[in-house]
Amino acid sequence: MLAKALSSAVIGIDAYQVEVEIDITKGLPAFTIVGLPETAVKESKERVKAAIKNSGYVFPDDRITVNLAPAHIRKEGTGFDLPIALGILAATETFPQNRLEEIMVSGELGLDGRIKPVLGSLSMALAAKQSGLSAIVLPHNNGKEAAVVDNFTVYASENLTQVVEYLKGESTLIEEKVNLDKLFNIQEDSYHDFSEVKGQEHVKRALEICAAGGHNLLMIGPPGAGKTMLAKRFASILPPLTFEEAIETTKIYSICGQLNSRQALITKRAFRSPHHTISDAGLIGGGAVPKPGEVSLAHHGVLFLDELPEFKKHVLEVMRQPLEDKLVTISRAKASLSYPANFMLVAAMNPCPCGYYADSRHECTCSGRQIHNYRSKLSGPLLDRIDLQVEAAAVDYKDLVDLTEAESSNSVRKRVIRARNIQLERLIHTKTFCNGQMNSRLIQKHCKLSSDSASLLENAVNKYGFSARIYHRILKISRTIADLDKKRDIQLAHIAEAIQYRVLDRNLNSL
């Protein structure tokens, strides 16, 4: 007796179809799974056997062979429990085999037949639709997540019996549906507001430029200047996620198991703030079978690194590639996987170990060597990849007691969205969506300078020893400033302002 069920497995953030072939022949009782199964897949035979018996069905006392095709790709996870169980029941003619040909199934089985959630169900639903299947059957807790796939049927089930009765034609399964417009219109108050920040207008301006052009930012200032407070409010001025961005972000969180059952889609930009004790694998991703790290969880959002020099130097250095390529490639003996990492880096640091170098209110207790060693933890190539470097000075008393309400995040966000729309229109025929992502060819095309502007930039490059990478980043920043100013051409004032956002490069010995 031979039967086949269709399931799916995930590689990176995308899923591929897996054919679960079951062959039952006469002989001594045996249950073998082939097709490069990992430990969790091998253990499924015990779960499947108990689930079938405890659901009231007959488990065959014959020789059972399960093949997971394609057999050359290693299979991991517990999602093959349900298709294996259904394949066995189809092979024993519990229901017609042709009922399994047009649907994909995935789910972990409990010993009592309950269907438990699996990771990556959104990617599986997308793969099922691309394969031309009519529907997918998933655990109840994964239904809403997969239902965001448009024009595709997603069935949610709580136990094995429900699925078998559906395949027999004796009952129906619940079809999950979500209202995408409602999901994107939900207003959440988890973002703090810029109006709550006193003073620091020049830092707010820098954050606005970063949001408008997709640039990275480093804030340097003493303790209590409001660096962390500003960073936590940065996401509140970013443009809303598009549907495509929301799908990509949700897929990452789904395969990491960080999507709760009530959350159908991530519609807010991520804000990730890992502690400085994080490892390189935790930041970039890794493991025997590579999993996404913080830079991928911050995809289309913000990665905030507070106390930047406190991070291990080798951990910071591994960020250079994703900052440049917006992609992380992790190679291991078992697999080489790529994860998207199109994030905006916002970092904060003190000017010295004690935090009060060049602060008129406090005396710095650090020696010159201590300050040098502290700053040397940040390499030149890493600083080159951070577009803006700004000083966040201590807030004056008059600003703290000022009752005048500062500009709200909503007002700033409107200007950011307007500038982003200008960029989208300019870059419409490319795969680039903001100024921060422009390559050399696009910079040359869209960042042309007048003779005065070019002369000013040339003087700055020669005086401060800017690298070629910094030169291009200044051009991109000035292009964003011009977009915020609603100017078609980059003007002298835009170049001058962009140069001011290179604090560490302009003066390495004082702030």
Side-chain angles (χ1 to χ4, degrees):
M1 295 176 285
L2 182 67
K4 182 179 74 173
L6 300 178
S7 189
S8 184
V10 177
I11 291 183
I13 65 168
D14 297 314
Y16 64 97
Q17 183 173 297
V18 175
E19 291 187 0
V20 182
E21 301 173 315
I22 293 91
D23 177 62
I24 303 178
T25 57
K26 297 295 183 181
L28 293 175
F31 196 160
T32 306
I33 299 177
V34 297
L36 287 183
E38 287 285 339
T39 303
V41 182
K42 292 177 181 177
E43 291 175 346
S44 67
K45 56 188 178 184
E46 303 300 332
R47 295 190 295 271
V48 167
K49 184 175 181 179
I52 289 177
K53 288 185 175 181
N54 291 327
S55 297
Y57 303 106
V58 177
F59 187 85
D61 290 328
D62 296 310
R63 184 176 182 83
I64 302 173
T65 303
V66 177
N67 179 43
L68 305 176
H72 67 283
I73 301 176
R74 191 172 297 275
K75 318 298 187 308
E76 64 172 356
T78 56
F80 296 109
D81 291 6
L82 183 58
I84 290 174
L86 293 176
I88 291 172
L89 292 174
T92 56
E93 300 181 350
T94 304
F95 55 83
Q97 292 190 22
N98 60 357
R99 295 280 288 171
L100 283 176
E101 294 176 358
E102 297 182 353
I103 63 171
M104 181 177 286
V105 290
S106 181
E108 175 186 340
L109 287 175
L111 300 183
D112 58 354
R114 286 181 297 116
I115 302 178
K116 301 178 180 180
V118 294
L119 304 179
S121 59
L122 173 57
S123 300
M124 294 177 186
L126 289 168
K129 181 181 178 181
Q130 293 168 0
S131 299
L133 301 178
S134 62
I136 186 171
V137 177
L138 291 168
H140 177 72
N141 289 342
N142 293 128
K144 293 187 182 300
E145 171 192 341
V148 302
V149 180
D150 196 24
N151 298 321
F152 187 66
T153 303
V154 176
Y155 292 120
S157 179
E158 295 183 349
N159 56 62
L160 177 62
T161 302
Q162 289 181 353
V163 181
V164 172
E165 289 180 352
Y166 162 73
L167 294 173
K168 283 182 176 181
E170 297 176 356
S171 66
T172 59
L173 291 174
I174 299 173
E175 183 179 349
E176 289 284 355
K177 292 185 179 295
V178 295
N179 188 327
L180 292 177
D181 293 332
K182 186 177 179 180
L183 287 177
F184 278 94
N185 289 331
I186 294 176
Q187 299 295 324
E188 298 189 40
D189 299 325
S190 57
Y191 284 150
H192 302 289
D193 199 275
F194 259 26
S195 62
E196 300 164 354
V197 182
K198 300 290 186 180
Q200 303 294 12
E201 297 304 322
H202 68 294
V203 185
K204 291 181 183 178
R205 167 69 173 172
L207 286 167
E208 181 179 341
I209 294 170
C210 289
H215 304 291
N216 303 316
L217 172 71
L218 172 61
M219 295 179 284
I220 309 103
K227 303 184 294 295
T228 304
M229 189 176 186
L230 285 162
K232 288 182 177 179
R233 284 152 181 77
F234 180 54
S236 67
I237 65 172
L238 292 175
L241 280 174
T242 64
F243 178 70
E244 290 75 17
E245 289 175 333
I247 287 289
E248 274 192 357
T249 305
T250 305
K251 285 164 68 175
I252 296 172
Y253 277 73
S254 176
I255 65 172
C256 291
Q258 297 195 24
L259 198 68
N260 64 58
S261 59
R262 299 183 301 275
Q263 194 172 17
L265 190 69
I266 292 177
T267 56
K268 288 181 53 185
R269 295 193 180 272
F271 180 85
R272 307 291 300 187
S273 181
H275 193 259
H276 63 259
T277 56
I278 192 171
S279 66
D280 52 355
L283 187 64
I284 300 300
V289 179
K291 295 294 183 184
E294 290 290 335
V295 297
S296 294
L297 292 170
H299 186 54
H300 293 312
V302 181
L303 178 66
F304 176 50
L305 301 183
D306 202 2
E307 307 295 345
L308 188 63
E310 299 300 329
F311 286 79
K312 296 181 181 69
K313 188 167 184 176
H314 73 275
V315 172
L316 294 178
E317 292 305 303
V318 295
M319 277 205 307
R320 285 158 54 175
Q321 186 241 344
L323 279 172
E324 197 73 23
D325 300 336
K326 307 300 182 183
L327 186 75
V328 172
T329 301
I330 308 168
S331 297
R332 295 291 184 269
K334 293 183 178 180
S336 179
L337 301 176
S338 295
Y339 293 109
N342 187 6
F343 61 94
M344 296 175 63
L345 174 65
V346 177
M349 63 176 285
N350 295 328
C352 65
C354 78
Y356 296 111
Y357 180 74
D359 188 347
S360 59
R361 302 180 183 185
H362 300 85
E363 181 180 356
C364 177
T365 60
C366 304
S367 67
R369 179 173 293 276
Q370 285 177 315
I371 296 174
H372 173 76
N373 291 340
Y374 181 74
R375 295 183 183 178
S376 65
K377 293 180 180 179
L378 307 180
S379 68
L382 177 63
L383 290 175
D384 277 2
R385 289 167 169 80
I386 300 178
D387 305 54
L388 289 84
Q389 305 163 357
V390 296
E391 181 183 1
V395 182
D396 292 333
Y397 177 77
K398 63 179 182 180
D399 290 327
L400 291 175
V401 298
D402 187 3
L403 298 179
T404 305
E405 187 172 348
E407 188 176 26
S408 69
S409 293
N410 189 46
S411 299
V412 179
R413 192 186 201 195
K414 289 179 180 178
R415 294 197 296 270
V416 168
I417 293 174
R418 184 182 64 207
R420 283 285 184 113
N421 289 336
I422 293 172
Q423 295 163 47
L424 287 172
E425 185 177 350
R426 181 191 303 127
L427 303 168
I428 190 170
H429 297 300
T430 69
K431 293 183 179 180
T432 305
F433 303 102
C434 61
N435 291 334
Q437 300 173 3
M438 289 194 298
N439 56 29
S440 299
R441 181 179 58 82
L442 292 174
I443 292 172
Q444 185 176 8
K445 180 179 180 181
H446 299 298
C447 300
K448 296 179 180 179
L449 303 179
S450 64
S451 58
D452 290 344
S453 300
S455 178
L456 176 62
L457 184 53
E458 180 184 2
N459 291 335
V461 170
N462 292 333
K463 181 177 180 180
Y464 302 121
F466 290 156
S467 67
R469 183 180 283 116
I470 295 176
Y471 166 76
H472 284 118
R473 291 189 183 279
I474 289 176
L475 287 176
K476 291 192 283 188
I477 294 166
S478 60
R479 178 67 268 173
T480 300
I481 296 171
D483 291 338
L484 284 168
D485 203 19
K486 295 185 285 188
K487 301 295 184 183
R488 181 177 178 180
D489 299 319
I490 297 174
Q491 300 177 356
L492 186 65
H494 303 147
I495 285 288
E497 184 179 358
I499 293 172
Q500 293 302 309
Y501 294 125
R502 301 297 306 186
V503 168
L504 290 180
D505 297 317
R506 287 190 290 110
N507 194 340
L508 294 176
N509 297 317
S510 63
L511 292 174

